[in-house]
Amino acid sequence: MTLLNLANSIKERRKVLNITQKQLSELAEIGLRTLINIESGNGNPTILVINKLAIVLGMELKFEVKKHGF
């Protein structure tokens, strides 16, 4: 998933839940500017920040190791 895909997923889920950026930033305990940057695709969020957002938004964070043929 690219950063832009992640940004769109967060933004869409927030809108489905009908909460504002300010509300989400408060619930996830991250800065509003951080959330704005993430949703615009300009941020470089840490895994901790992404996980905080995922928990509040009812999303799941998954990591997958790709096999490269060796």
Side-chain angles (χ1 to χ4, degrees):
M1 175 177 274
T2 67
L3 188 56
L4 190 54
N5 292 90
L6 176 64
N8 288 333
S9 294
I10 290 169
K11 189 178 202 177
E12 288 175 22
R13 181 66 178 161
R14 179 179 60 77
K15 288 182 177 183
V16 165
L17 295 174
N18 197 32
I19 57 177
T20 66
Q21 287 178 322
K22 185 173 191 297
Q23 290 169 323
L24 178 54
S25 69
E26 290 171 355
L27 290 168
E29 298 179 344
I30 64 170
L32 177 58
R33 175 59 48 200
T34 299
L35 178 59
I36 290 169
N37 285 335
I38 292 169
E39 284 194 359
S40 68
N42 295 320
N44 189 15
T46 65
I47 293 173
L48 178 63
V49 168
I50 295 169
N51 193 52
K52 285 181 174 185
L53 290 168
I55 290 168
V56 172
L57 294 171
M59 300 171 82
E60 184 177 358
L61 186 61
K62 288 186 179 182
F63 292 93
E64 185 176 331
V65 177
K66 293 184 179 182
K67 295 183 181 183
H68 294 289
F70 52 88

